[in-house]
Amino acid sequence: MAIPAPARYADAVADLETLDETRWQQVTTRDRAADGQFVYAVKTTGIYCRPSCPSRLAKRAHVRFFTTTAEAAEAGFRPCRRCHPAAAQEPAASLMQAMAHYIADHAGESLPLARLARQAGMAPTHFQRTFKAALGVSPREYQAAQRLARFKQALREGEGVLEAGLDAGFGSTSRVYEAADGSLGMTPSAYRAGGAGEHIVHATRETALGPLMMAATRRGVCFVQFGESAEALLTQLAAEFPKAALLRAALAAAAPLDDWMAALAAHLEQAAPRPDLPLDLIGTAFQIRVWRFLMSVKPGDVVSYSELAAGAGKPRAIRAAASACAANRIAVLIPCHRALRADGSLGGYRWGLERKRALLDAERRVRTSAG
């Protein structure tokens, strides 16, 4: 038998009253689990809040409940500036994913926490906590990673370091290097572990200065060395990374590495510009600063080891600067041949003084002809 309409109405009212009492209980206990399920509005203030809002509790007689923020807004209430109830209407994970996309799209811009929090409709501290809980990193760390990804992609597409850095939002090459410390390459601990877990693709070719091997991880070039033969170079690579998986470029169908090798050979043999390739730098923080300073020295110019130490931020660490040159595994691309003794003599060179002299002479000839 059908229930009369008045009875159905009475049941609906009873259900609504029960639901409201349950909601009121959640408000009085500031139940965070209820956030996103409903909002409550206070008639005397004209404001609606999420259930967990820390604001002073209103009297029950002054409170109304709404399932959505849109319903509360249509009824003439405005959102609380303390608990930002609009953000609670979207599941936190979904909202944080949307904010991650926002950060990626604006990675090259200044994104202070306050701006991101406003975009999310949340208080800055709450946004920071929620974002990190959802993505595992802070908004600032996520933006830095996105900038670095843009920078590396631009390098792979052929842009120079300065142009790629500016496009990614770093402002200068020094900013790139500061941000990239420990991020562009294999960590020192991974290197000390012999490259365990790494896949390294390598190729060898004859150049005007003898056999040259180039090897790269998925992040960039990690090894460029001259040697007596391809076999000797492979032995040396295996000694540097004894636990890494080494794969010849032809077997790996490694077109980028082949192109990089060709560009480097053209630089050595035809005086073409030094290729600006992504590097997987492996060393201590000071060594990496030394190598990066060398990369800023113009072709045909030279620096003393004392100038190199000063450029790396430690003027008294002259011997350490020289040792960093000796530890360099990436010939030519990291131009340690441009570092000389204070008296102007060649000093040492990992790949022999004849090669060092030849590289310097070639750079000076190019600069003279260009000038």
Side-chain angles (χ1 to χ4, degrees):
M1 178 174 144
I3 301 176
R8 289 201 301 269
Y9 176 77
D11 288 344
V13 170
D15 289 343
L16 182 59
E17 289 177 348
T18 300
L19 176 61
D20 282 355
E21 288 310 310
T22 300
R23 287 172 168 176
W24 175 243
Q25 181 63 29
Q26 291 172 309
V27 169
T28 58
T29 58
R30 293 182 168 86
D31 185 358
R32 289 186 178 276
D35 288 352
Q37 299 178 14
F38 67 92
V39 294
Y40 73 93
V42 181
K43 301 174 187 176
T44 53
T45 63
I47 293 173
Y48 68 89
C49 303
R50 64 174 72 195
S52 66
C53 183
S55 300
R56 182 179 178 182
L57 194 63
K59 292 182 178 181
R60 174 66 182 88
H62 299 157
V63 171
R64 289 182 61 187
F65 297 100
F66 298 94
T67 303
T68 67
T69 56
E71 292 175 359
E74 289 176 4
F77 295 96
R78 61 185 186 277
C80 173
R81 293 184 177 180
R82 187 169 183 181
C83 70
H84 298 275
Q89 285 294 303
E90 187 174 5
S94 177
L95 176 59
M96 292 305 104
Q97 286 295 334
M99 288 305 302
H101 288 304
Y102 179 85
I103 293 172
D105 291 341
H106 298 81
E109 304 172 18
S110 174
L111 293 177
L113 184 61
R115 172 180 169 181
L116 295 173
R118 283 196 302 272
Q119 180 70 22
M122 302 170 71
T125 302
H126 182 55
F127 170 72
Q128 174 97 345
R129 287 197 305 266
T130 306
F131 189 94
K132 189 165 186 177
L135 282 90
V137 294
S138 70
R140 183 176 182 179
E141 290 168 335
Y142 187 81
Q143 182 187 11
Q146 291 299 313
R147 278 185 172 177
L148 192 59
R150 281 190 180 188
F151 172 70
K152 293 167 71 176
Q153 180 62 34
L155 289 180
R156 286 193 292 269
E157 292 174 354
E159 285 194 38
V161 172
L162 178 59
E163 293 80 4
L166 291 175
D167 290 345
F170 286 110
S172 68
T173 52
S174 63
R175 294 288 186 183
V176 172
Y177 294 144
E178 288 171 7
D181 261 338
S183 300
L184 280 177
M186 189 188 303
T187 64
S189 60
Y191 178 70
R192 285 195 298 271
E198 291 288 337
H199 288 76
I200 299 177
V201 180
H202 61 88
T204 306
R205 68 181 296 162
E206 288 293 329
T207 72
L209 297 179
L212 177 71
M213 174 178 280
M214 179 183 289
T217 66
R218 61 183 175 81
R219 292 172 295 273
V221 176
C222 65
F223 181 99
V224 177
Q225 303 218 19
F226 295 101
E228 297 304 316
S229 66
E231 292 76 14
L233 284 166
L234 183 57
T235 298
Q236 189 174 350
L237 178 65
E240 292 276 1
F241 305 102
K243 296 183 180 179
L246 306 181
L247 190 61
R248 192 156 52 89
L251 299 178
L257 183 64
D258 292 336
D259 293 342
W260 296 346
M261 176 67 89
L264 181 56
H267 169 67
L268 293 172
E269 298 166 7
Q270 304 166 23
R274 180 173 61 90
D276 203 357
L277 306 180
L279 303 181
D280 189 348
L281 300 181
I282 306 162
T284 67
F286 179 72
Q287 286 175 334
I288 290 175
R289 288 199 299 272
V290 167
W291 300 335
R292 287 171 173 164
F293 183 80
L294 283 167
M295 293 169 68
S296 73
V297 178
K298 295 180 179 179
D301 289 345
V302 295
V303 294
S304 67
Y305 291 116
S306 59
E307 291 172 327
L308 186 55
K314 292 188 176 181
R316 297 183 180 180
I318 299 173
R319 288 188 178 181
S323 296
C325 291
N328 175 29
R329 303 171 193 87
I330 305 180
V332 185
L333 297 180
I334 297 177
C336 56
H337 59 274
R338 296 175 188 162
L340 307 180
R341 289 176 176 166
D343 61 5
S345 61
L346 290 180
Y349 190 56
R350 182 171 185 166
W351 300 282
L353 293 183
E354 287 304 315
R355 287 192 177 103
K356 184 172 187 176
R357 185 178 292 108
L359 288 167
L360 288 172
D361 289 346
E363 289 183 352
R364 287 164 178 162
R365 284 196 300 272
V366 171
R367 187 175 66 175
T368 299
S369 61

